[in-house]
Amino acid sequence: MIMRVNLDCNACCRKARKILLNMKVVETHMIDKQQRKILVRGRFRPADVAIRLGKKMNRRVEILEIEQDVGGNHEP
């Protein structure tokens, strides 16, 4: 999932990283400060992660793209 968040400074990036690391459902994440985008991968509902990140950072979070798992790595 790709989200757009207003990341003004390095402290905002550190805060977003800390919030994402504390979420058990997030497997990997990447923060791009210049483009103000956060890429998140894992098994979760996209709206739940966006709402939680927005509330904790007190910022508006916009979901840009949602990718489904196409690798077929599903547990039986």
Side-chain angles (χ1 to χ4, degrees), residues 5-47:
V5 183
N6 189 11
L7 300 170
D8 297 331
C9 57
N10 289 334
C12 296
C13 292
R14 284 194 305 268
K15 188 173 183 179
R17 184 177 313 269
K18 183 178 176 184
I19 292 167
L20 292 171
L21 286 173
N22 286 331
M23 290 185 192
K24 304 263 189 241
V25 295
V26 174
E27 294 172 4
T28 61
H29 69 277
M30 185 181 75
I31 299 173
D32 187 359
K33 184 180 171 189
Q34 273 75 30
Q35 294 184 1
R36 298 180 176 177
K37 292 183 181 178
I38 299 176
L39 179 123
V40 181
R41 290 195 178 153
R43 298 182 136 234
F44 52 80
R45 289 182 42 210

